[in-house]
Amino acid sequence: MVRRIALAALGVSSVWRGSSYVGPRSPDSAPAQLAFVDQVVPLSWYAVGWITTGAIALVAVFWKRLQPLGISTAIFFNLLWGGSFMLSWKFLDVPRADVSAISYFTIAILAMCVAALYEQSHSLPGVEPPGLEGGDECRPLP
């Protein structure tokens, strides 16, 4: 259930964000915070990516097979936006872009946590995930 809620939130926010980049734009209308991503691909293409990501995440709420793709693409776009905002703050002196960058990075990290917790809770019965041998017990030093 938690993964579905996360996918719904990622889906709605991705569609909303992508929709904000749709429409006619002059060449100089890209926000300074997105200067780094806009140099690689036009913002209108990112709009398609964000909206597609959101649609996949929303469909994945009901179709389990799409859940890894929905979460991973949402993580990717949030990391991409966070990176662009952080770089523009550091190298272009865009004020307060670091605050938005931290928000994008936080969304990506929380999505990774939801995905990891889901995978951990759905491991095979009787098979302990790697790196968790011994549980909460302390082992004596050799």
Side-chain angles (χ1 to χ4, degrees), residues 30-72:
Q33 299 91 327
L34 297 173
F36 290 95
V37 294
D38 190 44
Q39 294 299 314
V40 179
V41 177
L43 284 180
S44 59
W45 290 19
Y46 287 112
V48 172
W50 275 108
I51 292 168
T52 302
T53 293
I56 291 169
L58 290 171
V59 170
V61 169
F62 304 103
W63 191 15
K64 192 174 184 174
R65 187 168 281 207
L66 279 180
Q67 289 181 354
L69 180 62
I71 286 182
S72 61

mmCIF file of all heavy atoms in Angstrom, residues 30-72:
data_model
loop_
_atom_site.group_PDB
_atom_site.id
_atom_site.type_symbol
_atom_site.label_atom_id
_atom_site.label_comp_id
_atom_site.label_asym_id
_atom_site.label_seq_id
_atom_site.Cartn_x
_atom_site.Cartn_y
_atom_site.Cartn_z
ATOM 1 N N ALA A 30 13.803 29.906 -20.392
ATOM 2 C CA ALA A 30 14.100 28.820 -19.460
ATOM 3 C C ALA A 30 14.554 29.411 -18.136
ATOM 4 O O ALA A 30 15.386 30.321 -18.113
ATOM 5 C CB ALA A 30 15.174 27.905 -20.033
ATOM 6 N N PRO A 31 14.027 28.920 -17.043
ATOM 7 C CA PRO A 31 14.464 29.432 -15.740
ATOM 8 C C PRO A 31 15.966 29.197 -15.558
ATOM 9 O O PRO A 31 16.506 28.190 -16.016
ATOM 10 C CB PRO A 31 13.667 28.599 -14.732
ATOM 11 C CG PRO A 31 12.594 27.934 -15.508
ATOM 12 C CD PRO A 31 13.027 27.882 -16.926
ATOM 13 N N ALA A 32 16.624 30.104 -14.885
ATOM 14 C CA ALA A 32 18.068 29.997 -14.676
ATOM 15 C C ALA A 32 18.434 28.709 -13.944
ATOM 16 O O ALA A 32 19.501 28.137 -14.176
ATOM 17 C CB ALA A 32 18.565 31.208 -13.894
ATOM 18 N N GLN A 33 17.541 28.211 -13.089
ATOM 19 C CA GLN A 33 17.814 26.992 -12.329
ATOM 20 C C GLN A 33 17.941 25.771 -13.240
ATOM 21 O O GLN A 33 18.521 24.771 -12.868
ATOM 22 C CB GLN A 33 16.700 26.709 -11.308
ATOM 23 C CG GLN A 33 16.522 27.779 -10.284
ATOM 24 C CD GLN A 33 15.510 28.822 -10.717
ATOM 25 O OE1 GLN A 33 15.371 29.138 -11.888
ATOM 26 N NE2 GLN A 33 14.803 29.383 -9.763
ATOM 27 N N LEU A 34 17.351 25.842 -14.424
ATOM 28 C CA LEU A 34 17.367 24.708 -15.342
ATOM 29 C C LEU A 34 18.321 24.933 -16.513
ATOM 30 O O LEU A 34 18.232 24.244 -17.534
ATOM 31 C CB LEU A 34 15.950 24.424 -15.839
ATOM 32 C CG LEU A 34 14.976 24.010 -14.742
ATOM 33 C CD1 LEU A 34 13.564 23.902 -15.283
ATOM 34 C CD2 LEU A 34 15.404 22.702 -14.105
ATOM 35 N N ALA A 35 19.224 25.865 -16.372
ATOM 36 C CA ALA A 35 20.155 26.181 -17.451
ATOM 37 C C ALA A 35 20.981 24.969 -17.865
ATOM 38 O O ALA A 35 21.256 24.769 -19.044
ATOM 39 C CB ALA A 35 21.075 27.323 -17.030
ATOM 40 N N PHE A 36 21.353 24.149 -16.904
ATOM 41 C CA PHE A 36 22.209 23.010 -17.216
ATOM 42 C C PHE A 36 21.463 21.916 -17.981
ATOM 43 O O PHE A 36 22.020 21.339 -18.910
ATOM 44 C CB PHE A 36 22.858 22.465 -15.945
ATOM 45 C CG PHE A 36 23.895 23.397 -15.396
ATOM 46 C CD1 PHE A 36 23.579 24.299 -14.405
ATOM 47 C CD2 PHE A 36 25.188 23.395 -15.902
ATOM 48 C CE1 PHE A 36 24.527 25.176 -13.913
ATOM 49 C CE2 PHE A 36 26.140 24.270 -15.428
ATOM 50 C CZ PHE A 36 25.814 25.168 -14.427
ATOM 51 N N VAL A 37 20.231 21.630 -17.620
ATOM 52 C CA VAL A 37 19.484 20.603 -18.363
ATOM 53 C C VAL A 37 18.976 21.154 -19.689
ATOM 54 O O VAL A 37 18.875 20.426 -20.669
ATOM 55 C CB VAL A 37 18.319 19.999 -17.539
ATOM 56 C CG1 VAL A 37 18.848 19.230 -16.348
ATOM 57 C CG2 VAL A 37 17.319 21.034 -17.119
ATOM 58 N N ASP A 38 18.669 22.439 -19.737
ATOM 59 C CA ASP A 38 18.151 23.052 -20.960
ATOM 60 C C ASP A 38 19.224 23.095 -22.054
ATOM 61 O O ASP A 38 18.895 23.108 -23.238
ATOM 62 C CB ASP A 38 17.625 24.453 -20.656
ATOM 63 C CG ASP A 38 16.857 25.049 -21.819
ATOM 64 O OD1 ASP A 38 16.034 24.329 -22.418
ATOM 65 O OD2 ASP A 38 17.084 26.232 -22.130
ATOM 66 N N GLN A 39 20.482 23.109 -21.674
ATOM 67 C CA GLN A 39 21.574 23.111 -22.658
ATOM 68 C C GLN A 39 21.674 21.775 -23.387
ATOM 69 O O GLN A 39 22.137 21.717 -24.511
ATOM 70 C CB GLN A 39 22.912 23.412 -21.970
ATOM 71 C CG GLN A 39 23.008 24.789 -21.409
ATOM 72 C CD GLN A 39 22.877 25.868 -22.465
ATOM 73 O OE1 GLN A 39 23.494 25.774 -23.513
ATOM 74 N NE2 GLN A 39 22.064 26.866 -22.198
ATOM 75 N N VAL A 40 21.225 20.700 -22.751
ATOM 76 C CA VAL A 40 21.328 19.359 -23.324
ATOM 77 C C VAL A 40 20.109 19.038 -24.178
ATOM 78 O O VAL A 40 20.229 18.574 -25.309
ATOM 79 C CB VAL A 40 21.483 18.306 -22.203
ATOM 80 C CG1 VAL A 40 21.556 16.901 -22.762
ATOM 81 C CG2 VAL A 40 22.713 18.612 -21.362
ATOM 82 N N VAL A 41 18.935 19.275 -23.619
ATOM 83 C CA VAL A 41 17.665 18.958 -24.282
ATOM 84 C C VAL A 41 16.696 20.101 -23.991
ATOM 85 O O VAL A 41 16.660 20.606 -22.868
ATOM 86 C CB VAL A 41 17.084 17.629 -23.736
ATOM 87 C CG1 VAL A 41 15.742 17.314 -24.333
ATOM 88 C CG2 VAL A 41 18.047 16.474 -23.993
ATOM 89 N N PRO A 42 15.890 20.522 -24.983
ATOM 90 C CA PRO A 42 14.920 21.600 -24.726
ATOM 91 C C PRO A 42 13.913 21.219 -23.635
ATOM 92 O O PRO A 42 13.554 20.043 -23.495
ATOM 93 C CB PRO A 42 14.215 21.777 -26.071
ATOM 94 C CG PRO A 42 15.075 21.112 -27.076
ATOM 95 C CD PRO A 42 15.860 20.059 -26.360
ATOM 96 N N LEU A 43 13.481 22.222 -22.876
ATOM 97 C CA LEU A 43 12.545 21.964 -21.779
ATOM 98 C C LEU A 43 11.260 21.290 -22.248
ATOM 99 O O LEU A 43 10.660 20.510 -21.503
ATOM 100 C CB LEU A 43 12.213 23.262 -21.041
ATOM 101 C CG LEU A 43 13.298 23.768 -20.097
ATOM 102 C CD1 LEU A 43 12.852 25.054 -19.427
ATOM 103 C CD2 LEU A 43 13.659 22.730 -19.062
ATOM 104 N N SER A 44 10.823 21.554 -23.465
ATOM 105 C CA SER A 44 9.593 20.920 -23.950
ATOM 106 C C SER A 44 9.755 19.403 -24.027
ATOM 107 O O SER A 44 8.796 18.664 -23.812
ATOM 108 C CB SER A 44 9.188 21.492 -25.309
ATOM 109 O OG SER A 44 10.216 21.287 -26.251
ATOM 110 N N TRP A 45 10.962 18.931 -24.283
ATOM 111 C CA TRP A 45 11.192 17.478 -24.307
ATOM 112 C C TRP A 45 11.177 16.922 -22.888
ATOM 113 O O TRP A 45 10.709 15.821 -22.654
ATOM 114 C CB TRP A 45 12.513 17.154 -24.977
ATOM 115 C CG TRP A 45 12.533 17.400 -26.461
ATOM 116 C CD1 TRP A 45 11.670 18.180 -27.186
ATOM 117 C CD2 TRP A 45 13.476 16.889 -27.390
ATOM 118 N NE1 TRP A 45 12.022 18.177 -28.505
ATOM 119 C CE2 TRP A 45 13.133 17.393 -28.664
ATOM 120 C CE3 TRP A 45 14.583 16.068 -27.275
ATOM 121 C CZ2 TRP A 45 13.857 17.083 -29.800
ATOM 122 C CZ3 TRP A 45 15.308 15.762 -28.411
ATOM 123 C CH2 TRP A 45 14.939 16.256 -29.661
ATOM 124 N N TYR A 46 11.726 17.684 -21.968
ATOM 125 C CA TYR A 46 11.650 17.261 -20.562
ATOM 126 C C TYR A 46 10.198 17.217 -20.101
ATOM 127 O O TYR A 46 9.830 16.368 -19.292
ATOM 128 C CB TYR A 46 12.458 18.190 -19.658
ATOM 129 C CG TYR A 46 13.947 18.012 -19.783
ATOM 130 C CD1 TYR A 46 14.736 19.006 -20.339
ATOM 131 C CD2 TYR A 46 14.560 16.840 -19.352
ATOM 132 C CE1 TYR A 46 16.104 18.848 -20.455
ATOM 133 C CE2 TYR A 46 15.931 16.675 -19.464
ATOM 134 C CZ TYR A 46 16.693 17.681 -20.021
ATOM 135 O OH TYR A 46 18.054 17.522 -20.140
ATOM 136 N N ALA A 47 9.381 18.139 -20.622
ATOM 137 C CA ALA A 47 7.956 18.129 -20.269
ATOM 138 C C ALA A 47 7.341 16.789 -20.639
ATOM 139 O O ALA A 47 6.609 16.194 -19.838
ATOM 140 C CB ALA A 47 7.225 19.265 -20.986
ATOM 141 N N VAL A 48 7.663 16.308 -21.825
ATOM 142 C CA VAL A 48 7.158 15.001 -22.262
ATOM 143 C C VAL A 48 7.672 13.902 -21.330
ATOM 144 O O VAL A 48 6.926 13.007 -20.929
ATOM 145 C CB VAL A 48 7.556 14.717 -23.728
ATOM 146 C CG1 VAL A 48 7.204 13.303 -24.131
ATOM 147 C CG2 VAL A 48 6.899 15.725 -24.664
ATOM 148 N N GLY A 49 8.939 13.990 -20.958
ATOM 149 C CA GLY A 49 9.515 13.003 -20.038
ATOM 150 C C GLY A 49 8.847 13.001 -18.677
ATOM 151 O O GLY A 49 8.508 11.949 -18.131
ATOM 152 N N TRP A 50 8.626 14.205 -18.120
ATOM 153 C CA TRP A 50 7.955 14.314 -16.822
ATOM 154 C C TRP A 50 6.527 13.765 -16.898
ATOM 155 O O TRP A 50 6.085 13.020 -16.024
ATOM 156 C CB TRP A 50 7.902 15.771 -16.356
ATOM 157 C CG TRP A 50 9.119 16.263 -15.635
ATOM 158 C CD1 TRP A 50 10.038 17.140 -16.106
ATOM 159 C CD2 TRP A 50 9.541 15.935 -14.293
ATOM 160 N NE1 TRP A 50 11.006 17.380 -15.149
ATOM 161 C CE2 TRP A 50 10.715 16.657 -14.034
ATOM 162 C CE3 TRP A 50 9.027 15.107 -13.307
ATOM 163 C CZ2 TRP A 50 11.391 16.567 -12.820
ATOM 164 C CZ3 TRP A 50 9.702 15.029 -12.093
ATOM 165 C CH2 TRP A 50 10.861 15.749 -11.867
ATOM 166 N N ILE A 51 5.796 14.152 -17.941
ATOM 167 C CA ILE A 51 4.400 13.718 -18.066
ATOM 168 C C ILE A 51 4.335 12.209 -18.281
ATOM 169 O O ILE A 51 3.485 11.524 -17.683
ATOM 170 C CB ILE A 51 3.684 14.494 -19.191
ATOM 171 C CG1 ILE A 51 3.539 15.969 -18.779
ATOM 172 C CG2 ILE A 51 2.327 13.886 -19.510
ATOM 173 C CD1 ILE A 51 3.114 16.902 -19.905
ATOM 174 N N THR A 52 5.221 11.670 -19.095
ATOM 175 C CA THR A 52 5.257 10.221 -19.308
ATOM 176 C C THR A 52 5.594 9.494 -18.017
ATOM 177 O O THR A 52 4.971 8.481 -17.682
ATOM 178 C CB THR A 52 6.286 9.873 -20.410
ATOM 179 O OG1 THR A 52 5.933 10.562 -21.610
ATOM 180 C CG2 THR A 52 6.330 8.388 -20.666
ATOM 181 N N THR A 53 6.561 10.014 -17.291
ATOM 182 C CA THR A 53 6.920 9.439 -15.997
ATOM 183 C C THR A 53 5.711 9.421 -15.062
ATOM 184 O O THR A 53 5.432 8.413 -14.404
ATOM 185 C CB THR A 53 8.068 10.243 -15.353
ATOM 186 O OG1 THR A 53 9.237 10.062 -16.140
ATOM 187 C CG2 THR A 53 8.337 9.811 -13.925
ATOM 188 N N GLY A 54 5.004 10.541 -15.006
ATOM 189 C CA GLY A 54 3.818 10.616 -14.151
ATOM 190 C C GLY A 54 2.743 9.645 -14.580
ATOM 191 O O GLY A 54 2.107 8.983 -13.743
ATOM 192 N N ALA A 55 2.529 9.519 -15.882
ATOM 193 C CA ALA A 55 1.510 8.586 -16.381
ATOM 194 C C ALA A 55 1.886 7.145 -16.039
ATOM 195 O O ALA A 55 1.035 6.359 -15.601
ATOM 196 C CB ALA A 55 1.341 8.756 -17.888
ATOM 197 N N ILE A 56 3.160 6.805 -16.222
ATOM 198 C CA ILE A 56 3.610 5.448 -15.874
ATOM 199 C C ILE A 56 3.411 5.188 -14.391
ATOM 200 O O ILE A 56 2.914 4.134 -13.986
ATOM 201 C CB ILE A 56 5.085 5.241 -16.276
ATOM 202 C CG1 ILE A 56 5.220 5.218 -17.800
ATOM 203 C CG2 ILE A 56 5.646 3.959 -15.670
ATOM 204 C CD1 ILE A 56 6.652 5.287 -18.296
ATOM 205 N N ALA A 57 3.784 6.148 -13.565
ATOM 206 C CA ALA A 57 3.631 5.983 -12.113
ATOM 207 C C ALA A 57 2.161 5.824 -11.720
ATOM 208 O O ALA A 57 1.825 4.995 -10.868
ATOM 209 C CB ALA A 57 4.255 7.166 -11.375
ATOM 210 N N LEU A 58 1.286 6.586 -12.362
ATOM 211 C CA LEU A 58 -0.146 6.483 -12.029
ATOM 212 C C LEU A 58 -0.733 5.145 -12.492
ATOM 213 O O LEU A 58 -1.541 4.543 -11.779
ATOM 214 C CB LEU A 58 -0.912 7.661 -12.624
ATOM 215 C CG LEU A 58 -0.622 9.007 -11.955
ATOM 216 C CD1 LEU A 58 -1.243 10.149 -12.743
ATOM 217 C CD2 LEU A 58 -1.106 9.014 -10.509
ATOM 218 N N VAL A 59 -0.328 4.675 -13.654
ATOM 219 C CA VAL A 59 -0.793 3.360 -14.115
ATOM 220 C C VAL A 59 -0.221 2.269 -13.203
ATOM 221 O O VAL A 59 -0.897 1.289 -12.884
ATOM 222 C CB VAL A 59 -0.404 3.124 -15.593
ATOM 223 C CG1 VAL A 59 -0.663 1.687 -16.012
ATOM 224 C CG2 VAL A 59 -1.167 4.083 -16.502
ATOM 225 N N ALA A 60 1.022 2.460 -12.744
ATOM 226 C CA ALA A 60 1.679 1.481 -11.881
ATOM 227 C C ALA A 60 1.001 1.338 -10.521
ATOM 228 O O ALA A 60 1.191 0.332 -9.839
ATOM 229 C CB ALA A 60 3.141 1.846 -11.699
ATOM 230 N N VAL A 61 0.217 2.323 -10.139
ATOM 231 C CA VAL A 61 -0.556 2.192 -8.888
ATOM 232 C C VAL A 61 -1.446 0.951 -8.966
ATOM 233 O O VAL A 61 -1.638 0.238 -7.982
ATOM 234 C CB VAL A 61 -1.400 3.461 -8.632
ATOM 235 C CG1 VAL A 61 -2.390 3.240 -7.506
ATOM 236 C CG2 VAL A 61 -0.497 4.650 -8.323
ATOM 237 N N PHE A 62 -1.928 0.669 -10.164
ATOM 238 C CA PHE A 62 -2.843 -0.459 -10.355
ATOM 239 C C PHE A 62 -2.190 -1.651 -11.059
ATOM 240 O O PHE A 62 -2.710 -2.756 -10.996
ATOM 241 C CB PHE A 62 -4.060 -0.002 -11.166
ATOM 242 C CG PHE A 62 -4.756 1.163 -10.527
ATOM 243 C CD1 PHE A 62 -4.589 2.445 -11.013
ATOM 244 C CD2 PHE A 62 -5.540 0.986 -9.398
ATOM 245 C CE1 PHE A 62 -5.204 3.524 -10.420
ATOM 246 C CE2 PHE A 62 -6.159 2.054 -8.785
ATOM 247 C CZ PHE A 62 -5.995 3.331 -9.292
ATOM 248 N N TRP A 63 -1.078 -1.443 -11.750
ATOM 249 C CA TRP A 63 -0.421 -2.515 -12.499
ATOM 250 C C TRP A 63 0.983 -2.701 -11.931
ATOM 251 O O TRP A 63 1.917 -1.987 -12.266
ATOM 252 C CB TRP A 63 -0.375 -2.160 -13.972
ATOM 253 C CG TRP A 63 0.028 -3.273 -14.865
ATOM 254 C CD1 TRP A 63 0.073 -4.607 -14.563
ATOM 255 C CD2 TRP A 63 0.476 -3.157 -16.215
ATOM 256 N NE1 TRP A 63 0.504 -5.325 -15.641
ATOM 257 C CE2 TRP A 63 0.755 -4.458 -16.680
ATOM 258 C CE3 TRP A 63 0.657 -2.089 -17.075
ATOM 259 C CZ2 TRP A 63 1.200 -4.720 -17.958
ATOM 260 C CZ3 TRP A 63 1.106 -2.350 -18.353
ATOM 261 C CH2 TRP A 63 1.369 -3.638 -18.787
ATOM 262 N N LYS A 64 1.119 -3.691 -11.086
ATOM 263 C CA LYS A 64 2.329 -3.927 -10.305
ATOM 264 C C LYS A 64 3.586 -4.069 -11.158
ATOM 265 O O LYS A 64 4.669 -3.658 -10.755
ATOM 266 C CB LYS A 64 2.132 -5.177 -9.441
ATOM 267 C CG LYS A 64 3.175 -5.365 -8.403
ATOM 268 C CD LYS A 64 2.809 -6.527 -7.511
ATOM 269 C CE LYS A 64 3.830 -6.644 -6.404
ATOM 270 N NZ LYS A 64 3.482 -7.643 -5.426
ATOM 271 N N ARG A 65 3.452 -4.608 -12.342
ATOM 272 C CA ARG A 65 4.611 -4.842 -13.203
ATOM 273 C C ARG A 65 5.322 -3.534 -13.589
ATOM 274 O O ARG A 65 6.517 -3.517 -13.841
ATOM 275 C CB ARG A 65 4.175 -5.584 -14.451
ATOM 276 C CG ARG A 65 5.320 -6.021 -15.319
ATOM 277 C CD ARG A 65 4.847 -6.974 -16.334
ATOM 278 N NE ARG A 65 4.724 -8.271 -15.686
ATOM 279 C CZ ARG A 65 4.821 -9.421 -16.311
ATOM 280 N NH1 ARG A 65 4.988 -9.440 -17.597
ATOM 281 N NH2 ARG A 65 4.716 -10.547 -15.663
ATOM 282 N N LEU A 66 4.596 -2.428 -13.620
ATOM 283 C CA LEU A 66 5.177 -1.135 -13.995
ATOM 284 C C LEU A 66 5.788 -0.372 -12.810
ATOM 285 O O LEU A 66 6.406 0.668 -13.006
ATOM 286 C CB LEU A 66 4.125 -0.247 -14.646
ATOM 287 C CG LEU A 66 3.827 -0.478 -16.114
ATOM 288 C CD1 LEU A 66 2.754 0.496 -16.599
ATOM 289 C CD2 LEU A 66 5.065 -0.344 -16.960
ATOM 290 N N GLN A 67 5.592 -0.876 -11.600
ATOM 291 C CA GLN A 67 6.038 -0.131 -10.422
ATOM 292 C C GLN A 67 7.528 0.186 -10.410
ATOM 293 O O GLN A 67 7.899 1.338 -10.147
ATOM 294 C CB GLN A 67 5.613 -0.850 -9.144
ATOM 295 C CG GLN A 67 4.119 -0.759 -8.924
ATOM 296 C CD GLN A 67 3.654 -1.438 -7.656
ATOM 297 O OE1 GLN A 67 4.429 -2.088 -6.958
ATOM 298 N NE2 GLN A 67 2.379 -1.301 -7.364
ATOM 299 N N PRO A 68 8.417 -0.760 -10.716
ATOM 300 C CA PRO A 68 9.846 -0.395 -10.723
ATOM 301 C C PRO A 68 10.181 0.697 -11.748
ATOM 302 O O PRO A 68 10.967 1.592 -11.465
ATOM 303 C CB PRO A 68 10.553 -1.714 -11.083
ATOM 304 C CG PRO A 68 9.593 -2.782 -10.657
ATOM 305 C CD PRO A 68 8.221 -2.200 -10.905
ATOM 306 N N LEU A 69 9.557 0.638 -12.916
ATOM 307 C CA LEU A 69 9.796 1.658 -13.940
ATOM 308 C C LEU A 69 9.260 3.019 -13.490
ATOM 309 O O LEU A 69 9.929 4.045 -13.653
ATOM 310 C CB LEU A 69 9.152 1.253 -15.266
ATOM 311 C CG LEU A 69 9.324 2.239 -16.427
ATOM 312 C CD1 LEU A 69 10.798 2.400 -16.777
ATOM 313 C CD2 LEU A 69 8.526 1.767 -17.630
ATOM 314 N N GLY A 70 8.081 3.037 -12.902
ATOM 315 C CA GLY A 70 7.491 4.291 -12.423
ATOM 316 C C GLY A 70 8.334 4.951 -11.355
ATOM 317 O O GLY A 70 8.590 6.164 -11.409
ATOM 318 N N ILE A 71 8.805 4.168 -10.404
ATOM 319 C CA ILE A 71 9.616 4.733 -9.325
ATOM 320 C C ILE A 71 10.985 5.159 -9.845
ATOM 321 O O ILE A 71 11.474 6.242 -9.529
ATOM 322 C CB ILE A 71 9.745 3.739 -8.153
ATOM 323 C CG1 ILE A 71 8.421 3.701 -7.392
ATOM 324 C CG2 ILE A 71 10.885 4.111 -7.226
ATOM 325 C CD1 ILE A 71 8.396 2.818 -6.183
ATOM 326 N N SER A 72 11.607 4.320 -10.663
ATOM 327 C CA SER A 72 12.966 4.647 -11.121
ATOM 328 C C SER A 72 12.996 5.873 -12.029
ATOM 329 O O SER A 72 13.919 6.694 -11.929
ATOM 330 C CB SER A 72 13.620 3.445 -11.802
ATOM 331 O OG SER A 72 12.884 3.056 -12.944
#
